[in-house]
Each structure stands twice: as structure tokens, then as C-alpha cells.
Amino acid sequence: MDGKTMTNRLLDVRPRVGDSEKMTVNLGVVDLGQVDLLVQEGFYSNRSDLVRTAVRNLLATHADTLKQTVARKTLTLGLQHLTRAELERTVAAGERLRVQVVGLARIDNDVTPELALAAIESVSVLGAFHASPAVRRALAPRTV
């Protein structure tokens, strides 16, 4: 870590319980019927299984581009978990973090809005951002 940016930590990105988000997909009735037919024929266990498989296959197709973009933009891929102790050390060192994540950024619930503001310069999350409502409100103006 260079003191200003949490850089390019490639972490385990397999979904774990609690690390997934729901998404709505709008399909036409014919597409939906074909999905149901594939499920009925045993190709997939359910509709969500087909969608997950399709998304993962498309991401695999673009894996090189994604890897290059993550490296170029110095993003954390997977989970970035910020603890109170880590943020206190950052402030004590006179540093500020630029939180840049593709995946899940999580700030512990015992982090106060004041500590978050003192330690975090900016937040850019493509995926999900979990923090207390007070910390989310405090960091909202610093969200890129």
C-alpha cells in the first residue's frame, strides 16, 4: 500500500453467503419461456443459475480487459474491509485513503462518521458498499 491508495489487491472473488446482491433482469416472455425450458430439461437448477452462469461466461470472455482495467485504475478486486483500527492507524500516520473497489467495500459498524471523514479521501465502488447509514451519509460528498 502506498499510503494514499489501497492498490490492486486481487482477492478471492467467489461469492460467499452475504457477499451477493440481488439484481432484477427484465426479459421478454419468449426469452423467459426458453429459460424455463432449459431449467425444466435439467440444464440449470433454476432461472438464477442460468443468469449467474451466463454472466460468469461473459465476464470470462472479457477477463483480459477487466484485468487490465483493474490494474490501470489501481482498483481493489473483491472485498475491501476497513476496520476502525486500520482507519485510526491511517489518520495517525497523517494519511488518507482512496477507496477504489470492484466488488464489495465494507466499513465496520464501530467506525464513526468523524473517523471515516478523517481517514477517507474518496470512495469509488463498482458493486456494493456496506457501511452504517451515518458513515454513508458522511462519505456521500466524497463518492466518485
Side-chain angles (χ1 to χ4, degrees):
M1 181 166 68
D2 67 6
K4 289 210 176 219
T5 307
M6 305 291 280
T7 57
N8 212 21
R9 290 192 281 174
L10 298 179
L11 304 174
D12 184 3
V13 292
R14 287 174 285 167
R16 291 174 292 283
V17 176
D19 286 350
S20 63
E21 295 284 329
K22 287 188 178 183
M23 182 173 132
T24 300
V25 178
N26 296 318
L27 296 175
V29 292
V30 173
D31 292 336
L32 187 58
Q34 290 175 333
V35 167
D36 286 343
L37 185 59
L38 289 172
V39 169
Q40 189 179 59
E41 290 298 308
F43 287 93
Y44 301 95
S45 59
N46 54 44
R47 292 173 174 174
S48 294
D49 183 32
L50 179 141
V51 172
R52 271 190 306 273
T53 301
V55 168
R56 288 178 182 151
N57 287 340
L58 285 169
L59 291 173
T61 299
H62 300 289
D64 288 340
T65 300
L66 289 168
K67 186 176 180 181
Q68 291 168 10
T69 303
V70 165
R72 179 173 41 84
K73 293 188 173 192
T74 61
L75 302 170
T76 297
L77 180 63
L79 169 66
Q80 183 170 2
H81 181 190
L82 299 171
T83 65
R84 181 179 184 159
E86 182 178 0
L87 295 178
E88 287 171 343
R89 283 191 301 274
T90 299
V91 171
E95 299 172 349
R96 299 190 69 201
L97 301 175
R98 282 183 262 154
V99 178
Q100 301 178 113
V101 178
V102 174
L104 173 63
R106 182 171 39 211
I107 299 175
D108 280 347
N109 285 331
D110 63 347
V111 172
T112 65
E114 296 78 18
L115 176 57
L117 287 170
I120 299 172
E121 181 178 315
S122 63
V123 177
S124 176
V125 178
L126 299 170
F129 180 44
H130 294 178
S132 71
V135 167
R136 290 177 66 87
R137 276 191 305 277
L139 293 175
R142 297 181 182 184
T143 302
V144 189

